[in-house]
Amino acid sequence: KVTTGGVYDASGVPLSYLTAGSHAVVGNLWDVTDKDIDRYCTALITSMLENPRGKANLGALVQKCRLNCRLMYLIGASPVVYGLPVRFRSGVQRR
């Protein structure tokens, strides 16, 4: 959750990860404590692993996996992507 403090800079865990060098962070806009978010996370990780190399757009996968929630406009609307639009590559990169 990113918070602002008036004239001060915004702060929060997603901004800390982005400042540390992460290209993107998937986080929730509000606290979610339901089995729906577990279904969502399982679908997101599964769809990342099942896509061919370089074909999975993280933002599109986050949006598509919202359909797995029973309350997709309440629980499914909470996950968002902070950062740059990135493509997820499954598998191990070889040098």
Side-chain angles (χ1 to χ4, degrees):
K1 186 174 182 180
V2 177
T3 58
T4 58
V7 296
Y8 300 109
D9 291 335
S11 64
V13 175
L15 292 178
S16 297
Y17 277 100
L18 294 172
T19 304
S22 179
H23 296 286
V25 177
V26 178
N28 290 330
L29 290 176
W30 52 83
D31 292 336
V32 178
T33 57
D34 194 11
K35 289 184 182 180
D36 256 357
I37 202 68
D38 296 338
R39 254 185 249 112
Y40 174 85
C41 289
T42 303
L44 182 63
I45 292 170
T46 302
S47 61
M48 284 180 177
L49 295 175
E50 289 178 350
N51 278 299
R53 291 183 66 121
K55 300 293 182 184
N57 181 341
L58 183 59
L61 290 178
V62 166
Q63 177 191 8
K64 183 181 93 171
C65 290
R66 289 179 176 156
L67 299 174
N68 291 309
C69 295
R70 291 184 184 157
L71 301 171
M72 66 180 165
Y73 297 112
L74 181 65
I75 306 298
S78 178
V80 294
V81 178
Y82 295 96
L84 301 172
V86 296
R87 293 197 180 274
F88 180 81
R89 287 188 278 179
S90 61
V92 177
Q93 278 187 324
R94 303 193 184 251
R95 293 183 182 195

